[in-house]
Amino acid sequence: MKRNLIFALLAAMLLPTFVACSETTADDGAAAGTAGTTAADGTVETVAEEAEPDKYALAKEKFEALAAADFGGADFGIASQAATGNSEKEIWVEELTGDAINDAVYNRNLAVNERFNCNITLTPGDVNGIIRQSVQAGDATYKLAFPNMATAASMSQVGLLMDYNKLENLNLTETWWDQGTLAMKIADKVFFMNGDINYLDNDVTYIQLFNKQLITDVGLDVPYELVREGKWTIDQFREMCMNVTTDLDGDGSYTDSDRYGYVTTSEGPCTFFYGSGLTLISYDDAGVPVLNVDMEKTVAALEKVVKIVSEDNITRIPSDVAVGKNMFMEDRVLFYGEVLSYVINIREMETAFGVLPIPKYDEMQEEYYTYCNAIASTATVPKTGASEELGMITSVLEGMAIQSYIQVTPAYYDIALSRKYTRDDESAEMLDIALANRVYDIGRIYSLGGIGSIFQTLASSGSTDFASSFAKSEKAAKKMLDRIVKDYTELE
C-alpha cells in the first residue's frame, strides 16, 4: 500500500534525465529507450518500448470511474477518536496552511466533495459512544467512523459496524487498502480497514532511530548495508549496543542522566517478538483464528531480548517517554526504539539521525516485520440506519482512500518524513522496508487475557519462562477468542 512511494517519487524527479537520455543513440544504432531488432539485410529496426503506466494516473482514472453518488450538497458526517495522535487531522482540516500534510488532506476532501456533491464534516469525541447512540436511534448522521483499532474491535463484536465484505463499490485488494487488516478476518468478516485513508497507522508503527554522530564516536558503521543484505538481526543489534553504556556523571550508578546503547518504551521488547515473525494468533485451514504460539522460537527470541534489556547493561526504559526522547536528542542514546511519529517529534534535534526497521530474528528470516499499535485509527462503516445510502457512502469511502493514495500519503511519507525531518536519503529506503510488512495481531488488538504483554513483561524482568506464564493465561485467552469467534459468526 504505502511501499515504494519514495522510489516512485524519486523516479519522477529523475524523469527529465531519462527523457534526455532517450534522445541519444545507443551503440547498436537504436535510440535509448527503444528495443532494437536486426532485419535480414543487417539494418537495425527500432521499436519503442511501451512506457510503464503511471500509477497515480491509473488511480485518478479509478477515482473517476467510481459508482455515482450525489448527496445533494448535504453533510457527510464522520466521527473520529478525539486527541489520539493525528486522528482528527488525518480526516478533516479547516483550511490551507502551507503545511504539506494539512493541505493534502484539505485537497483530498475537496476532490471528494466535488466528485460526490457532499460536504465532509468531522465530529471528534468518544467514537464508541457516538456511534452506539446513533445506531440505537437509527440516526444516519455519521456515514463513517474512525475509532482506534482496539475500540473498533469492541464495536464490531457488538454489532455496531458493517462487514466490509457486504459493502459494494469497494475494491479492498487495491494498493490503497492495507492487506494486513484485510487478512485479519474473523468468521470471514472484516469490520475495520487501514489504508492510505488513515496515516495514523504509520505514526504508530514501530521503528528504530539511531544517532549518526554517536555511532561514529563509538567506532561503528551505519547499519544500512546490513539491512539491505538481510543481516540486520537481533544479535547484530546487541553487538552494536555493547560497550556504549557509560556513567557520564560518575555517580557510580546508571540513571536517566547517563549514556546507553538502547533506549525505548515499555513496549520496546515486544517489537522484537513481532520483528522475529512471531504472532500470538494464527488461522486454521478453515480460516478460523486460533491461539497458536511457536513456543520454541518465542523462547529463543526471548532469551536474546533478555540479554539486551536486562542482562548486558545496554538498555534504559525510562518511566516517562519524554525522558527517553530527550536522552536521544541530547546524544546519549545510540539506538532509540519508538513509533514512527517520533521522527517528527525530534525534528529540533541538531545531531543527524537515521531510521532503521526492527531487526530480524536471524539471517534465515526472509523479511523484516514490525507491528502497528492498536491505538491506530481505522476506517469503519457504522450501522446507522442509512442502508439506502450504503452504496453512495462506500463510493465516498473508496474515493477518500484513492485520493489519500494520490495526495496524502506522498505528502506524509515523502515530504514530511524523508525530506523535512530525517537527515539522509537512505532513511527513505529504510522506512519503505519498515512499513512493508506490518503485523496486525488479534491477540493484542482484542486484549486476549493479557497474553499480548507477556513477552515484554518477561523481557523487562529478566525472565525467559514464557511457557509457564503463557500457560497461566492460555485458558482465559482461548475462552475469550472462542467467544469473539462465536459473536462474529452470529452477526448478520
Side-chain angles (χ1 to χ4, degrees):
M1 176 190 67
K2 300 175 184 177
R3 327 173 42 175
N4 301 321
L5 286 170
I6 296 297
F7 304 121
L9 290 163
L10 289 175
M13 293 167 60
L14 293 172
L15 184 59
T17 303
F18 297 151
V19 172
C21 290
S22 69
E23 296 173 355
T24 64
T25 303
D27 292 339
D28 63 358
T34 62
T37 59
T38 304
D41 60 2
T43 60
V44 176
E45 299 176 350
T46 61
V47 179
E49 293 181 354
E50 186 173 347
E52 192 76 20
D54 179 77
K55 63 180 182 179
Y56 294 112
L58 291 175
K60 290 176 183 177
E61 290 177 7
K62 292 186 178 182
F63 177 74
E64 293 303 326
L66 287 171
D70 189 334
F71 286 86
D75 286 348
F76 188 92
I78 300 177
S80 78
Q81 199 72 32
T84 303
N86 292 311
S87 58
E88 297 170 46
K89 294 181 180 179
E90 69 181 354
I91 304 302
W92 183 87
V93 295
E94 186 174 2
E95 59 186 1
L96 295 170
T97 65
D99 176 82
I101 300 176
N102 177 95
D103 292 358
V105 171
Y106 182 92
N107 288 322
R108 173 200 67 191
N109 290 356
L110 181 63
V112 172
N113 285 341
E114 291 178 347
R115 173 73 172 78
F116 301 110
N117 192 20
C118 62
N119 176 42
I120 292 173
T121 62
L122 179 68
T123 301
D126 172 17
V127 175
N128 188 14
I130 292 171
I131 299 306
R132 183 182 297 272
Q133 184 176 358
S134 296
V135 170
Q136 291 174 348
D139 179 7
T141 298
Y142 300 104
K143 319 299 184 185
L144 301 175
F146 286 77
N148 63 48
M149 294 181 71
T151 301
S154 61
M155 291 172 65
S156 60
Q157 191 175 350
V158 296
L160 297 178
L161 305 176
M162 295 293 299
D163 177 9
Y164 268 84
N165 291 317
K166 294 183 178 180
L167 300 175
E168 299 178 352
N169 303 333
L170 294 173
N171 189 344
L172 299 178
T173 61
E174 288 284 7
T175 188
W176 39 84
W177 293 112
D178 191 329
Q179 301 309 298
T181 43
L182 180 61
M184 195 174 54
K185 296 179 180 179
I186 300 178
D188 203 34
K189 296 179 174 70
V190 177
F191 291 97
F192 48 95
M193 286 288 297
N194 288 353
D196 291 83
I197 196 170
N198 59 309
Y199 62 74
L200 186 58
D201 61 336
N202 282 350
D203 273 1
V204 296
T205 295
Y206 284 84
I207 57 168
Q208 285 188 344
L209 301 171
F210 69 94
N211 185 305
K212 300 187 82 174
Q213 182 59 53
L214 188 54
I215 214 166
T216 299
D217 291 346
V218 298
L220 298 171
D221 293 328
V222 171
Y224 289 146
E225 198 57 39
L226 290 174
V227 175
R228 296 186 183 106
E229 294 175 354
K231 297 179 179 179
W232 180 234
T233 64
I234 298 175
D235 290 339
Q236 184 65 54
F237 170 78
R238 173 174 171 260
E239 183 177 332
M240 293 185 72
C241 289
M242 296 292 289
N243 304 317
V244 175
T245 300
T246 305
D247 181 12
L248 294 179
D249 56 12
D251 66 355
S253 61
Y254 292 97
T255 67
D256 292 342
S257 300
D258 297 316
R259 187 178 76 180
Y260 295 89
Y262 178 48
V263 166
T264 187
T265 66
S266 60
E267 291 211 351
C270 192
T271 64
F272 295 105
F273 174 83
Y274 290 104
S276 296
L278 294 162
T279 58
L280 299 165
I281 301 295
S282 62
Y283 292 82
D284 64 18
D285 293 339
V288 178
V290 293
L291 198 60
N292 183 25
V293 178
D294 184 337
M295 196 61 65
E296 182 178 352
K297 186 176 180 181
T298 297
V299 172
L302 183 57
E303 289 173 348
K304 293 175 183 283
V305 177
V306 163
K307 291 179 180 179
I308 294 171
V309 175
S310 301
E311 294 181 0
D312 292 331
N313 200 24
I314 285 173
T315 302
R316 184 75 177 176
I317 302 179
S319 57
D320 184 346
V321 295
V323 172
K325 181 189 76 170
N326 292 335
M327 291 173 68
F328 184 70
M329 293 181 68
E330 293 167 2
D331 302 331
R332 294 188 288 112
V333 176
L334 184 63
F335 292 106
Y336 181 37
E338 251 293 1
V339 292
L340 185 50
S341 64
Y342 271 69
V343 173
I344 298 174
N345 291 345
I346 61 171
R347 60 185 177 271
E348 303 302 327
M349 182 173 174
E350 295 182 1
T351 305
F353 63 87
V355 176
L356 296 166
I358 302 300
K360 300 192 298 185
Y361 175 77
D362 59 21
E363 292 183 30
M364 298 297 293
Q365 184 176 312
E366 293 185 3
E367 303 288 349
Y368 293 96
Y369 297 100
T370 189
Y371 86 101
C372 180
N373 195 296
I375 67 169
S377 63
T378 192
T380 70
V381 182
K383 289 184 177 178
T384 53
S387 57
E388 71 281 359
E389 292 184 333
L390 267 180
M392 295 199 301
I393 290 171
T394 50
S395 285
V396 174
L397 174 59
E398 184 83 352
M400 288 183 70
I402 296 173
Q403 283 296 329
S404 296
Y405 171 77
I406 295 170
Q407 300 195 62
V408 180
T409 296
Y412 175 91
Y413 193 68
D414 182 52
I415 299 170
L417 294 180
S418 301
R419 296 179 183 173
K420 189 173 181 181
Y421 298 132
T422 57
R423 311 297 174 87
D424 57 35
D425 293 334
E426 289 89 347
S427 285
E429 178 188 355
M430 297 299 112
L431 282 175
D432 225 25
I433 294 170
L435 293 174
N437 296 292
R438 280 183 288 189
V439 179
Y440 298 96
D441 193 348
I442 290 174
R444 286 184 71 85
I445 292 174
Y446 286 83
S447 300
L448 298 181
I451 60 171
S453 61
I454 293 175
F455 190 96
Q456 65 200 50
T457 300
L458 291 175
S460 298
S461 66
S463 172
T464 59
D465 191 8
F466 187 90
S468 177
S469 296
F470 186 79
K472 293 176 182 178
S473 302
E474 184 175 12
K475 184 176 181 180
K478 186 178 184 302
K479 184 176 180 180
M480 292 177 68
L481 181 59
D482 289 344
R483 178 57 186 267
I484 291 169
V485 172
K486 181 176 183 295
D487 289 345
Y488 271 56
T489 301
E490 294 175 349
L491 291 173
E492 294 296 331

Short mmCIF file of all heavy atoms in Angstrom, two decimals, residues 81-129:
data_model
loop_
_atom_site.label_atom_id
_atom_site.label_comp_id
_atom_site.label_asym_id
_atom_site.label_seq_id
_atom_site.Cartn_x
_atom_site.Cartn_y
_atom_site.Cartn_z
N GLN A 81 -11.96 9.47 16.76
CA GLN A 81 -11.49 9.49 18.13
C GLN A 81 -10.76 10.80 18.41
O GLN A 81 -9.90 11.20 17.63
CB GLN A 81 -10.56 8.31 18.40
CG GLN A 81 -10.37 7.98 19.85
CD GLN A 81 -11.60 7.35 20.47
OE1 GLN A 81 -12.35 6.64 19.80
NE2 GLN A 81 -11.82 7.60 21.74
N ALA A 82 -11.12 11.48 19.47
CA ALA A 82 -10.51 12.79 19.75
C ALA A 82 -9.14 12.64 20.37
O ALA A 82 -8.89 11.74 21.17
CB ALA A 82 -11.42 13.58 20.71
N ALA A 83 -8.24 13.53 19.98
CA ALA A 83 -6.93 13.70 20.63
C ALA A 83 -6.11 12.43 20.70
O ALA A 83 -5.38 12.19 21.64
CB ALA A 83 -7.13 14.27 22.03
N THR A 84 -6.22 11.57 19.69
CA THR A 84 -5.35 10.39 19.61
C THR A 84 -4.38 10.63 18.47
O THR A 84 -4.72 10.41 17.31
CB THR A 84 -6.17 9.11 19.35
OG1 THR A 84 -7.13 8.96 20.38
CG2 THR A 84 -5.27 7.89 19.30
N GLY A 85 -3.19 11.10 18.80
CA GLY A 85 -2.23 11.39 17.76
C GLY A 85 -2.78 12.42 16.80
O GLY A 85 -3.21 13.50 17.19
N ASN A 86 -2.82 12.06 15.53
CA ASN A 86 -3.35 12.96 14.50
C ASN A 86 -4.67 12.45 13.94
O ASN A 86 -5.01 12.72 12.80
CB ASN A 86 -2.33 13.09 13.36
CG ASN A 86 -1.08 13.82 13.80
OD1 ASN A 86 -1.15 14.87 14.40
ND2 ASN A 86 0.08 13.25 13.50
N SER A 87 -5.43 11.69 14.73
CA SER A 87 -6.62 11.05 14.21
C SER A 87 -7.66 12.03 13.69
O SER A 87 -8.44 11.70 12.81
CB SER A 87 -7.25 10.14 15.26
OG SER A 87 -7.58 10.88 16.42
N GLU A 88 -7.69 13.24 14.24
CA GLU A 88 -8.63 14.23 13.73
C GLU A 88 -8.10 14.88 12.45
O GLU A 88 -8.81 15.00 11.45
CB GLU A 88 -8.88 15.31 14.79
CG GLU A 88 -9.52 14.77 16.06
CD GLU A 88 -9.53 15.80 17.17
OE1 GLU A 88 -9.88 16.96 16.89
OE2 GLU A 88 -9.17 15.45 18.31
N LYS A 89 -6.83 15.26 12.48
CA LYS A 89 -6.25 15.98 11.34
C LYS A 89 -6.13 15.10 10.10
O LYS A 89 -6.08 15.63 8.99
CB LYS A 89 -4.88 16.53 11.72
CG LYS A 89 -4.93 17.61 12.79
CD LYS A 89 -3.54 18.14 13.11
CE LYS A 89 -3.61 19.22 14.18
NZ LYS A 89 -2.25 19.74 14.53
N GLU A 90 -6.09 13.79 10.27
CA GLU A 90 -5.99 12.94 9.09
C GLU A 90 -7.32 12.86 8.35
O GLU A 90 -7.36 12.44 7.20
CB GLU A 90 -5.51 11.54 9.48
CG GLU A 90 -6.52 10.73 10.26
CD GLU A 90 -6.01 9.35 10.66
OE1 GLU A 90 -4.90 8.98 10.22
OE2 GLU A 90 -6.71 8.65 11.40
N ILE A 91 -8.42 13.27 9.02
CA ILE A 91 -9.75 13.20 8.41
C ILE A 91 -10.20 14.54 7.86
O ILE A 91 -10.75 14.64 6.76
CB ILE A 91 -10.79 12.69 9.43
CG1 ILE A 91 -10.35 11.34 10.01
CG2 ILE A 91 -12.17 12.58 8.79
CD1 ILE A 91 -10.13 10.27 8.98
N TRP A 92 -9.96 15.60 8.62
CA TRP A 92 -10.53 16.90 8.22
C TRP A 92 -9.66 18.02 8.76
O TRP A 92 -9.18 17.98 9.90
CB TRP A 92 -11.95 17.04 8.79
CG TRP A 92 -12.66 18.29 8.39
CD1 TRP A 92 -13.41 18.49 7.26
CD2 TRP A 92 -12.72 19.53 9.12
NE1 TRP A 92 -13.92 19.76 7.25
CE2 TRP A 92 -13.51 20.43 8.38
CE3 TRP A 92 -12.16 19.95 10.32
CZ2 TRP A 92 -13.77 21.73 8.80
CZ3 TRP A 92 -12.41 21.25 10.75
CH2 TRP A 92 -13.21 22.11 9.99
N VAL A 93 -9.42 19.03 7.92
CA VAL A 93 -8.75 20.26 8.35
C VAL A 93 -9.57 21.44 7.83
O VAL A 93 -10.28 21.33 6.84
CB VAL A 93 -7.29 20.34 7.83
CG1 VAL A 93 -6.44 19.25 8.45
CG2 VAL A 93 -7.24 20.28 6.31
N GLU A 94 -9.44 22.55 8.52
CA GLU A 94 -10.31 23.69 8.23
C GLU A 94 -9.91 24.46 6.99
O GLU A 94 -10.76 24.90 6.21
CB GLU A 94 -10.33 24.65 9.44
CG GLU A 94 -11.30 25.80 9.29
CD GLU A 94 -11.39 26.63 10.56
OE1 GLU A 94 -10.66 26.32 11.53
OE2 GLU A 94 -12.20 27.58 10.58
N GLU A 95 -8.60 24.64 6.78
CA GLU A 95 -8.16 25.49 5.69
C GLU A 95 -6.75 25.13 5.26
O GLU A 95 -6.04 24.37 5.92
CB GLU A 95 -8.18 26.96 6.14
CG GLU A 95 -7.29 27.22 7.34
CD GLU A 95 -7.42 28.64 7.87
OE1 GLU A 95 -8.21 29.40 7.31
OE2 GLU A 95 -6.70 28.96 8.84
N LEU A 96 -6.35 25.68 4.12
CA LEU A 96 -4.98 25.52 3.66
C LEU A 96 -4.06 26.36 4.53
O LEU A 96 -4.35 27.51 4.83
CB LEU A 96 -4.87 25.97 2.20
CG LEU A 96 -5.65 25.15 1.16
CD1 LEU A 96 -5.62 25.85 -0.19
CD2 LEU A 96 -5.06 23.74 1.04
N THR A 97 -2.93 25.75 4.92
CA THR A 97 -1.99 26.46 5.80
C THR A 97 -0.58 26.51 5.25
O THR A 97 0.28 27.19 5.79
CB THR A 97 -1.93 25.77 7.18
OG1 THR A 97 -1.38 24.45 7.02
CG2 THR A 97 -3.30 25.70 7.82
N GLY A 98 -0.31 25.79 4.17
CA GLY A 98 1.04 25.69 3.66
C GLY A 98 1.77 24.47 4.16
O GLY A 98 2.82 24.11 3.63
N ASP A 99 1.24 23.80 5.21
CA ASP A 99 1.81 22.55 5.68
C ASP A 99 1.43 21.44 4.70
O ASP A 99 0.27 21.32 4.30
CB ASP A 99 1.29 22.21 7.08
CG ASP A 99 1.79 20.87 7.57
OD1 ASP A 99 2.92 20.82 8.07
OD2 ASP A 99 1.03 19.88 7.43
N ALA A 100 2.41 20.64 4.31
CA ALA A 100 2.20 19.67 3.25
C ALA A 100 1.07 18.69 3.55
O ALA A 100 0.20 18.46 2.71
CB ALA A 100 3.50 18.91 2.98
N ILE A 101 1.06 18.12 4.74
CA ILE A 101 0.05 17.11 5.07
C ILE A 101 -1.31 17.76 5.25
O ILE A 101 -2.33 17.26 4.76
CB ILE A 101 0.45 16.33 6.33
CG1 ILE A 101 1.79 15.63 6.12
CG2 ILE A 101 -0.62 15.32 6.69
CD1 ILE A 101 2.32 14.92 7.33
N ASN A 102 -1.34 18.86 5.96
CA ASN A 102 -2.60 19.60 6.15
C ASN A 102 -3.25 19.90 4.81
O ASN A 102 -4.45 19.66 4.60
CB ASN A 102 -2.32 20.89 6.91
CG ASN A 102 -3.56 21.76 7.08
OD1 ASN A 102 -4.24 21.70 8.09
ND2 ASN A 102 -3.85 22.61 6.10
N ASP A 103 -2.47 20.43 3.89
CA ASP A 103 -3.02 20.85 2.59
C ASP A 103 -3.43 19.65 1.74
O ASP A 103 -4.39 19.72 0.97
CB ASP A 103 -2.02 21.71 1.85
CG ASP A 103 -1.80 23.07 2.53
OD1 ASP A 103 -2.48 23.32 3.55
OD2 ASP A 103 -0.97 23.86 2.06
N ALA A 104 -2.71 18.54 1.89
CA ALA A 104 -3.08 17.33 1.15
C ALA A 104 -4.43 16.80 1.63
O ALA A 104 -5.26 16.38 0.82
CB ALA A 104 -2.00 16.27 1.32
N VAL A 105 -4.65 16.81 2.95
CA VAL A 105 -5.95 16.38 3.50
C VAL A 105 -7.05 17.32 3.01
O VAL A 105 -8.13 16.87 2.61
CB VAL A 105 -5.90 16.35 5.04
CG1 VAL A 105 -7.30 16.13 5.62
CG2 VAL A 105 -4.96 15.25 5.52
N TYR A 106 -6.79 18.62 3.04
CA TYR A 106 -7.77 19.60 2.58
C TYR A 106 -8.13 19.34 1.11
O TYR A 106 -9.32 19.30 0.74
CB TYR A 106 -7.22 21.00 2.75
CG TYR A 106 -8.17 22.11 2.37
CD1 TYR A 106 -9.01 22.69 3.31
CD2 TYR A 106 -8.24 22.57 1.05
CE1 TYR A 106 -9.89 23.70 2.96
CE2 TYR A 106 -9.12 23.57 0.68
CZ TYR A 106 -9.95 24.14 1.64
OH TYR A 106 -10.82 25.14 1.28
N ASN A 107 -7.13 19.16 0.27
CA ASN A 107 -7.36 18.97 -1.16
C ASN A 107 -7.99 17.62 -1.46
O ASN A 107 -8.78 17.49 -2.40
CB ASN A 107 -6.06 19.14 -1.93
CG ASN A 107 -5.60 20.59 -1.97
OD1 ASN A 107 -6.41 21.50 -2.08
ND2 ASN A 107 -4.29 20.81 -1.87
N ARG A 108 -7.67 16.61 -0.66
CA ARG A 108 -8.34 15.31 -0.82
C ARG A 108 -9.84 15.46 -0.57
O ARG A 108 -10.66 15.00 -1.37
CB ARG A 108 -7.76 14.29 0.16
CG ARG A 108 -8.52 12.96 0.18
CD ARG A 108 -8.27 12.17 1.45
NE ARG A 108 -8.84 12.83 2.62
CZ ARG A 108 -8.58 12.47 3.87
NH1 ARG A 108 -7.74 11.47 4.11
NH2 ARG A 108 -9.13 13.11 4.88
N ASN A 109 -10.19 16.11 0.54
CA ASN A 109 -11.60 16.28 0.86
C ASN A 109 -12.31 17.14 -0.18
O ASN A 109 -13.47 16.88 -0.52
CB ASN A 109 -11.75 16.90 2.25
CG ASN A 109 -11.35 15.95 3.35
OD1 ASN A 109 -11.03 14.79 3.10
ND2 ASN A 109 -11.36 16.42 4.59
N LEU A 110 -11.61 18.14 -0.68
CA LEU A 110 -12.19 18.99 -1.72
C LEU A 110 -12.51 18.17 -2.96
O LEU A 110 -13.60 18.30 -3.55
CB LEU A 110 -11.22 20.13 -2.06
CG LEU A 110 -11.70 21.14 -3.12
CD1 LEU A 110 -12.95 21.87 -2.63
CD2 LEU A 110 -10.58 22.12 -3.44
N ALA A 111 -11.58 17.31 -3.37
CA ALA A 111 -11.80 16.47 -4.56
C ALA A 111 -12.99 15.53 -4.35
O ALA A 111 -13.80 15.33 -5.25
CB ALA A 111 -10.53 15.67 -4.87
N VAL A 112 -13.09 14.97 -3.15
CA VAL A 112 -14.18 14.04 -2.85
C VAL A 112 -15.51 14.79 -2.77
O VAL A 112 -16.53 14.34 -3.30
CB VAL A 112 -13.90 13.29 -1.53
CG1 VAL A 112 -15.12 12.48 -1.10
CG2 VAL A 112 -12.69 12.38 -1.70
N ASN A 113 -15.51 15.95 -2.13
CA ASN A 113 -16.74 16.76 -2.04
C ASN A 113 -17.27 17.11 -3.42
O ASN A 113 -18.47 17.04 -3.69
CB ASN A 113 -16.48 18.04 -1.24
CG ASN A 113 -16.36 17.78 0.25
OD1 ASN A 113 -16.80 16.75 0.75
ND2 ASN A 113 -15.76 18.73 0.97
N GLU A 114 -16.36 17.52 -4.30
CA GLU A 114 -16.77 17.92 -5.64
C GLU A 114 -17.26 16.73 -6.45
O GLU A 114 -18.23 16.83 -7.21
CB GLU A 114 -15.62 18.61 -6.36
CG GLU A 114 -15.26 19.97 -5.77
CD GLU A 114 -14.06 20.62 -6.46
OE1 GLU A 114 -13.36 19.91 -7.23
OE2 GLU A 114 -13.82 21.82 -6.22
N ARG A 115 -16.59 15.59 -6.28
CA ARG A 115 -16.95 14.39 -7.05
C ARG A 115 -18.31 13.85 -6.65
O ARG A 115 -19.09 13.38 -7.51
CB ARG A 115 -15.86 13.33 -6.83
CG ARG A 115 -16.15 11.97 -7.44
CD ARG A 115 -16.02 11.98 -8.95
NE ARG A 115 -16.11 10.64 -9.48
CZ ARG A 115 -17.23 9.95 -9.65
NH1 ARG A 115 -18.41 10.49 -9.33
NH2 ARG A 115 -17.20 8.72 -10.16
N PHE A 116 -18.66 13.93 -5.35
CA PHE A 116 -19.89 13.31 -4.87
C PHE A 116 -20.90 14.32 -4.33
O PHE A 116 -21.88 13.92 -3.69
CB PHE A 116 -19.55 12.27 -3.79
CG PHE A 116 -18.64 11.18 -4.30
CD1 PHE A 116 -17.33 11.10 -3.86
CD2 PHE A 116 -19.09 10.25 -5.23
CE1 PHE A 116 -16.48 10.10 -4.32
CE2 PHE A 116 -18.25 9.25 -5.71
CZ PHE A 116 -16.94 9.18 -5.26
N ASN A 117 -20.66 15.59 -4.56
CA ASN A 117 -21.60 16.65 -4.17
C ASN A 117 -21.99 16.51 -2.69
O ASN A 117 -23.17 16.43 -2.34
CB ASN A 117 -22.85 16.62 -5.05
CG ASN A 117 -23.71 17.88 -4.86
OD1 ASN A 117 -23.22 18.92 -4.38
ND2 ASN A 117 -24.98 17.80 -5.23
N CYS A 118 -20.95 16.46 -1.85
CA CYS A 118 -21.18 16.34 -0.42
C CYS A 118 -20.28 17.31 0.33
O CYS A 118 -19.48 18.02 -0.28
CB CYS A 118 -20.93 14.91 0.07
SG CYS A 118 -19.24 14.31 -0.17
N ASN A 119 -20.40 17.35 1.63
CA ASN A 119 -19.59 18.24 2.45
C ASN A 119 -19.08 17.44 3.65
O ASN A 119 -19.80 17.23 4.63
CB ASN A 119 -20.41 19.44 2.93
CG ASN A 119 -19.62 20.33 3.86
OD1 ASN A 119 -18.45 20.60 3.62
ND2 ASN A 119 -20.26 20.80 4.92
N ILE A 120 -17.84 16.96 3.57
CA ILE A 120 -17.27 16.15 4.64
C ILE A 120 -17.16 16.99 5.91
O ILE A 120 -16.59 18.07 5.91
CB ILE A 120 -15.88 15.61 4.23
CG1 ILE A 120 -16.02 14.60 3.09
CG2 ILE A 120 -15.17 14.97 5.42
CD1 ILE A 120 -14.70 14.14 2.50
N THR A 121 -17.73 16.48 7.00
CA THR A 121 -17.64 17.14 8.30
C THR A 121 -17.08 16.17 9.32
O THR A 121 -17.14 14.95 9.13
CB THR A 121 -19.02 17.64 8.76
OG1 THR A 121 -19.90 16.51 8.93
CG2 THR A 121 -19.62 18.62 7.76
N LEU A 122 -16.57 16.69 10.41
CA LEU A 122 -15.94 15.85 11.42
C LEU A 122 -16.49 16.14 12.80
O LEU A 122 -16.64 17.30 13.20
CB LEU A 122 -14.43 16.09 11.44
CG LEU A 122 -13.64 15.29 12.48
CD1 LEU A 122 -13.65 13.81 12.14
CD2 LEU A 122 -12.21 15.81 12.59
N THR A 123 -16.80 15.08 13.55
CA THR A 123 -17.18 15.17 14.95
C THR A 123 -16.19 14.34 15.76
O THR A 123 -16.25 13.11 15.76
CB THR A 123 -18.60 14.66 15.20
OG1 THR A 123 -19.52 15.41 14.41
CG2 THR A 123 -18.97 14.79 16.67
N PRO A 124 -15.23 14.98 16.43
CA PRO A 124 -14.30 14.23 17.27
C PRO A 124 -14.92 13.94 18.63
O PRO A 124 -15.76 14.69 19.11
CB PRO A 124 -13.11 15.19 17.40
CG PRO A 124 -13.71 16.56 17.29
CD PRO A 124 -14.90 16.42 16.36
N GLY A 125 -14.49 12.85 19.24
CA GLY A 125 -15.02 12.51 20.56
C GLY A 125 -14.88 11.04 20.85
O GLY A 125 -14.02 10.35 20.30
N ASP A 126 -15.75 10.55 21.71
CA ASP A 126 -15.79 9.14 22.06
C ASP A 126 -16.55 8.40 20.96
O ASP A 126 -17.78 8.34 20.97
CB ASP A 126 -16.49 8.96 23.41
CG ASP A 126 -16.75 7.50 23.76
OD1 ASP A 126 -16.13 6.62 23.13
OD2 ASP A 126 -17.58 7.25 24.65
N VAL A 127 -15.83 7.84 20.00
CA VAL A 127 -16.47 7.24 18.84
C VAL A 127 -17.41 6.11 19.25
O VAL A 127 -18.52 5.97 18.72
CB VAL A 127 -15.42 6.73 17.84
CG1 VAL A 127 -16.09 5.99 16.68
CG2 VAL A 127 -14.59 7.87 17.30
N ASN A 128 -16.99 5.29 20.19
CA ASN A 128 -17.83 4.19 20.65
C ASN A 128 -19.18 4.71 21.13
O ASN A 128 -20.24 4.21 20.74
CB ASN A 128 -17.11 3.43 21.76
CG ASN A 128 -17.84 2.15 22.15
OD1 ASN A 128 -18.73 1.69 21.45
ND2 ASN A 128 -17.48 1.58 23.28
N GLY A 129 -19.16 5.74 21.97
CA GLY A 129 -20.41 6.31 22.49
C GLY A 129 -21.23 6.98 21.41
O GLY A 129 -22.46 6.83 21.36
#
